[in-house]
Amino acid sequence: MKETEPSTNEREFLLAALKEGARIDGRSFYDFRSLRLSFGADYGNVEVQLGNTRVLAKVSCEVIRPYPDKPTEGFLMFNTEVSPMASSVFEIGRQTDEEVLVSRLIEKAMRRSRALDTEGLCIVAGEKVWSIRVDIHFLDHDGNLVDAACIAAITALLHFRRPDVTVVGEEVTIHTLEQRNPVPLSIHHIPICVSFAFFDKGERMIVDPTHLEEQIKEGDMTFTLNVHKEVCALSKAGGIPMEMDQIIQCSKIAVVKVAEVTAQIQAGLDADARNRQNSRK
C-alpha cells in the first residue's frame, strides 16, 4: 500500500513550528522521545518503546560448524521483520527500501564494529562454535526505526545468556539452565544509533524524528557511536548535502545522547537482574 502523504496543513504547521524553535510533540530539537525497556521471562527477549515506535528483539543460539578459514570464530546474524502490524505501508514478503536500510545499518553498527567477541563463541576450534541470531520485529512504526532497532538489538545481546559448555577431549556437553547457570556474551562495547533529520536546507536539524517529521524532512543522517566516543558507523542515504561543521556538530550532540541511552540501558539491565534475583529467593 502506498504511504499517505502529509496534508499541506500538516506540512506547513510542522515547518512553521520548527522555524519558531519548537516541535509539534513538545520536545526540543535535540531530545529523544521517552525510552522504555521491557524484559521478557527468557534471557535475550527485550521490547523497546521509543515514543510510539515499538520494536521487539529476541536472541537465540545454536551450535554449528565454523568456516574453514575462521576456525575459532562464531557467528552473529541479524534478521529484521517488518509486518503490516507496524504500519499499513509494509507488506508481508516484500521488503521496502526502509527495511533494507535498517537491516544494513544494524549490520554495520553491530557486526562490523565488532561489538560482540565472536572468538569467545568458539567451543572446539574448527568443529563447533556458537551461532547467535538476533530477530528484530517491528511492532509499531512512528518514526526512527533505526535507533529503536539498534537499542533493542544491543540490549537483547547484553541481556542474553547462552548455555554453559564442558569440553572433555572431543566430547562436548551442553548443560541445561537447571544444571548450570547460563553464561553472558562477551560484549566489547555498546554501539548506539542516533538519527538526525534536516529541514530548511540543513539550517535546522532534529534528533529522533517522528514518522511525520521523516515524511517532510529534506535529508537525514545516522551516527553510530559508543560511550568511548568511537564512531562505529556513519550513514547518510541521500538528501541535502551537509557542511563539515554541521557533521561535527551532529557528532557532538550524538556523543551526549549515546551516554544518556547507554546509562538507561544499563539501569534497565541492573533492575531486571535484581528482579530475577529477588524472584529466586
Side-chain angles (χ1 to χ4, degrees):
M1 183 184 293
K2 189 177 180 182
E3 189 170 20
T4 305
E5 291 290 324
S7 67
T8 303
N9 285 345
E10 285 178 310
R11 182 183 296 273
E12 290 179 353
F13 181 72
L14 187 145
L15 293 175
L18 290 174
K19 287 180 180 178
E20 294 292 327
R23 294 170 76 173
I24 57 176
D25 57 5
R27 288 182 289 155
S28 70
F29 282 8
Y30 306 145
D31 280 351
F32 262 89
R33 289 168 289 178
S34 61
L35 175 63
R36 194 164 66 102
L37 304 174
S38 304
F39 298 93
D42 296 331
Y43 283 116
N45 195 340
V46 178
E47 182 182 316
V48 168
Q49 185 163 351
L50 187 60
N52 291 325
T53 297
R54 285 195 308 138
V55 178
L56 175 70
K58 184 170 177 58
V59 182
S60 57
C61 64
E62 63 175 335
V63 177
I64 62 174
R65 183 180 289 272
Y67 289 131
D69 58 333
K70 295 179 180 177
T72 60
E73 279 198 24
F75 297 89
L76 175 62
M77 296 181 292
F78 295 92
N79 176 53
T80 56
E81 184 178 316
V82 181
S83 70
M85 182 172 70
S87 171
S88 58
V89 178
F90 303 119
E91 297 177 19
I92 295 176
R94 181 180 174 186
Q95 276 196 327
T96 62
D97 292 342
E98 188 171 14
E99 185 181 356
V100 173
L101 183 63
V102 170
S103 300
R104 288 177 180 171
L105 272 172
I106 297 300
E107 193 87 8
K108 285 181 184 176
M110 301 291 168
R111 199 158 68 172
R112 295 188 189 177
S113 70
R114 303 192 71 82
L116 175 68
D117 177 16
T118 51
E119 290 193 356
L121 300 174
C122 179
I123 301 172
V124 179
E127 294 292 329
K128 290 181 172 65
V129 295
W130 287 107
S131 173
I132 306 297
R133 175 187 169 113
V134 184
D135 289 294
I136 303 171
H137 303 272
F138 299 97
L139 307 178
D140 278 317
H141 178 23
D142 187 35
N144 202 8
L145 289 177
V146 171
D147 292 9
C150 179
I151 294 169
I154 192 62
T155 306
L157 286 169
L158 288 163
H159 188 247
F160 182 67
R161 302 289 185 271
R162 64 165 177 81
D164 199 3
V165 176
T166 301
V167 180
V168 180
E170 294 184 358
E171 187 178 334
V172 176
T173 304
I174 299 175
H175 301 282
T176 63
L177 301 186
E178 290 75 25
Q179 291 173 329
R180 286 195 187 179
N181 288 332
V183 180
L185 300 176
S186 177
I187 307 291
H188 288 311
H189 61 96
I190 302 176
I192 301 292
C193 293
V194 180
S195 294
F196 295 84
F198 302 100
F199 303 86
D200 197 14
K201 298 180 181 178
E203 293 299 315
R204 289 175 175 81
M205 60 184 179
I206 60 172
V207 170
D208 182 26
T210 62
H211 184 51
L212 179 60
E213 289 168 338
E214 285 183 338
Q215 288 180 299
I216 298 173
K217 71 187 178 187
E218 296 175 6
D220 59 32
M221 183 166 60
T222 300
F223 265 95
T224 308
L225 303 100
N226 57 32
V227 289
H228 308 298
K229 301 182 182 180
E230 296 169 332
V231 178
C232 305
L234 174 60
S235 172
K236 189 180 184 309
I240 56 173
M242 303 299 302
E243 297 292 337
M244 182 57 72
D245 58 342
Q246 290 175 306
I247 295 174
I248 292 172
Q249 185 184 356
C250 286
S251 69
K252 291 178 179 177
I253 296 166
V255 165
V256 176
K257 296 300 160 188
V258 165
E260 292 173 1
V261 172
T262 304
Q264 197 164 345
I265 290 172
Q266 201 58 59
L269 291 167
D270 292 342
D272 180 73
R274 286 194 299 271
N275 291 338
R276 289 176 185 273
Q277 191 69 34
N278 293 334
S279 66
R280 294 193 191 103
K281 292 181 180 178

